Amino acid sequence: MNTSGWNLQQGTLPFRPLSESDVIRIVNQALSPAKKHTSTYKYAFFKAMLDNLFNVDGQRVFLSYDTIALRFTEIYWNLVLNYHLKQMPTSQRATMTAVERVLFDFCKKYGFNHESKGSIFPFESLRQDLQLELSRKIRSQMLKYVVGAFYTDTEGQLYSFSKEEGGIHFNPDAYTACIKFKTDFEKINYYEWIKYLEKVNREEDAYALASKLDASTERSNLSLYRETLLQFGQQHCFYCHKSLKQEATAIPVDHCIPWSFVKDDKLWNFVLSCPTCNGAKSNTLPAETYLADIKQRNRSLLHLDLPLVKEDFKSYSHAKLEQMYHSAIFNGFQAGWKPSTILPLPTYGFGDGGYSAVADGE
């Protein structure tokens, strides 16, 4: 067996029961400088896993390589092409990682300018077919260099995998702990990642690394979600019920559960709000009574025959939404926000706001 995990084809050790302290120890050890880190791959891979915790197939506790690779690609698109951050120390045998080479070759193939910092457009603006083309190429590098290596570093107990199966299976105990301590694990990962980037980059390039890591996966354009919710028929602020028809500027699209916890953009977590509520709610959780409203809204959204709905609701469940809400509270997010004035909500039929559709179960 390849003890370093590099190019390991499968990892299927029997899972043993893990306590929360076991999982914390395993994660801490895997991210520590004591483990071999020839590049930033393991940090990016762990971030891609954490960002997708709520996209996991709950029955199999399974997360596909394609889902992980898409986020892994998005992270490096920004860090490499936008911020020009080196991802490994320069040595005689290599001057850059395989992922960097794939990104540069991709830009050359399609004539994308990335020579000066900030000149590349956001990954989300890339055509979907090109996103998939690039993520498939980077997926092969991720499978070769990272999946087995991080499996080995986590004692084969965080997840199991077979490269032919198409994804990873979380140890259920580890998965539960990762959700519970999501923010803490993100902080540990960022801390070690930043220290590594500072070692291999010039001081001016390594400035404000924490914000650069966060920005690597934050969407700048939410217009598609706004258009979908307007098409759905939401005409009033989700929180205060003020009419949105009179808004002179673009209607705010709000993450009901804050993006800074979820680190993902899915239609089932988006609502339209008025500018006042959007600014006042900020990075907090709404009062728990809004969970019933968004679950009822999501039941109705599921009736829309739109690609975005089908894609974003693949792994959705009401139970998972509630789990996310309470996990955010455990991770320190303030809960209970509501506007000072709430207007009566007009009665909607399906397609006019979606709050009166027939419930189809939890």
Side-chain angles (χ1 to χ4, degrees):
M1 177 179 173
N2 181 359
T3 55
S4 69
W6 179 84
N7 211 21
L8 191 65
Q9 296 302 304
Q10 66 176 15
T12 55
L13 290 174
F15 287 144
R16 63 177 185 265
L18 298 177
S19 66
E20 290 177 351
S21 60
D22 289 332
V23 179
I24 292 169
R25 176 189 59 78
I26 287 171
V27 169
N28 277 328
Q29 288 184 354
L31 298 174
S32 76
K35 294 292 183 181
K36 186 177 182 181
H37 295 275
T38 56
S39 73
T40 58
Y41 284 170
K42 292 175 185 176
Y43 306 118
F45 182 68
F46 191 47
K47 174 174 170 56
M49 289 172 60
L50 291 174
D51 287 355
N52 281 295
L53 285 177
F54 296 103
N55 296 321
V56 168
D57 179 332
Q59 289 187 331
R60 297 190 295 157
V61 205
F62 178 82
L63 186 61
S64 73
Y65 293 138
D66 287 341
T67 300
I68 301 172
L70 192 63
R71 180 51 55 92
F72 191 79
T73 301
E74 185 177 12
I75 291 166
Y76 281 115
W77 175 276
N78 202 43
L79 296 183
V80 174
L81 301 180
N82 190 31
Y83 293 121
H84 293 192
L85 288 166
K86 291 170 57 63
Q87 302 302 314
M88 66 179 294
T90 302
S91 66
Q92 291 184 346
R93 65 180 180 85
T95 58
M96 67 177 71
T97 62
V99 165
E100 288 171 277
R101 287 195 297 272
V102 169
L103 285 166
F104 293 142
D105 289 345
F106 181 82
C107 287
K108 183 178 180 181
K109 176 182 177 180
Y110 289 104
F112 298 146
N113 173 36
H114 63 87
E115 297 300 325
S116 57
K117 290 181 182 178
S119 62
I120 195 71
F121 50 84
F123 182 74
E124 67 194 84
S125 300
L126 192 63
R127 276 195 346 241
Q128 189 172 24
D129 60 318
L130 296 185
Q131 287 186 22
L132 292 175
E133 176 187 333
L134 179 59
S135 67
R136 287 188 187 115
K137 291 178 179 178
I138 288 182
R139 177 184 185 270
S140 66
Q141 305 302 324
M142 185 186 80
L143 290 175
K144 181 176 182 180
Y145 293 110
V146 197
V147 177
F150 199 62
Y151 167 85
T152 302
D153 284 355
T154 52
E155 303 175 8
Q157 292 303 308
L158 190 62
Y159 58 87
S160 64
F161 75 98
S162 169
K163 291 188 178 178
E164 290 73 31
E165 191 175 6
I168 64 173
H169 288 274
F170 281 91
N171 180 328
D173 292 339
Y175 178 66
T176 300
C178 281
I179 288 178
K180 185 172 183 180
F181 300 107
K182 183 175 185 289
T183 299
D184 290 325
F185 286 164
E186 285 172 344
K187 289 176 181 177
I188 295 166
N189 192 41
Y190 272 23
Y191 177 71
E192 297 297 345
W193 198 351
I194 287 169
K195 287 199 300 181
Y196 190 92
L197 285 170
E198 286 176 336
K199 286 193 302 183
V200 301
N201 286 277
R202 298 176 304 173
E203 184 176 351
E204 57 267 33
D205 293 331
Y207 176 72
L209 282 174
S211 62
K212 291 175 181 177
L213 293 177
D214 253 352
S216 66
T217 53
E218 186 170 12
R219 289 187 181 274
S220 59
N221 185 357
L222 299 177
S223 59
L224 179 61
Y225 300 98
R226 180 184 300 108
E227 291 164 8
T228 301
L229 291 173
L230 288 172
Q231 180 179 344
F232 169 64
Q234 187 184 341
Q235 301 173 1
H236 294 76
C237 173
F238 182 77
Y239 302 110
C240 74
H241 306 158
K242 171 186 173 184
S243 174
L244 298 174
K245 291 182 178 179
Q246 306 303 318
E247 295 301 331
T249 57
I251 298 168
V253 182
D254 182 63
H255 292 82
C256 187
I257 299 173
W259 180 90
S260 56
F261 175 69
V262 182
K263 300 289 175 70
D264 196 15
D265 298 301
K266 288 290 186 288
L267 184 59
W268 47 261
N269 190 38
F270 279 124
V271 298
L272 299 182
S273 68
C274 68
T276 300
C277 285
N278 184 256
K281 175 178 172 287
S282 188
N283 201 39
T284 62
L285 290 156
E288 192 165 0
T289 53
Y290 285 105
L291 276 178
D293 294 338
I294 197 168
K295 285 193 289 185
Q296 184 72 348
R297 190 286 306 271
N298 285 342
R299 290 189 185 100
S300 298
L301 265 178
L302 280 165
H303 291 277
L304 289 184
D305 186 21
L306 293 174
L308 179 61
V309 174
K310 293 178 179 178
E311 179 63 29
D312 278 13
F313 276 79
K314 276 182 180 177
S315 60
Y316 172 78
S317 71
H318 300 321
K320 191 176 290 186
L321 181 68
E322 289 204 20
Q323 181 185 37
M324 184 187 299
Y325 181 90
H326 293 293
S327 294
I329 294 173
F330 181 84
N331 279 267
F333 283 78
Q334 182 181 344
W337 178 87
K338 58 183 179 180
S340 55
T341 302
I342 302 177
L343 302 174
L345 182 66
T347 301
Y348 293 125
F350 173 67
D352 296 319
Y355 298 104
S356 62
V358 177
D360 52 8
E362 296 294 304

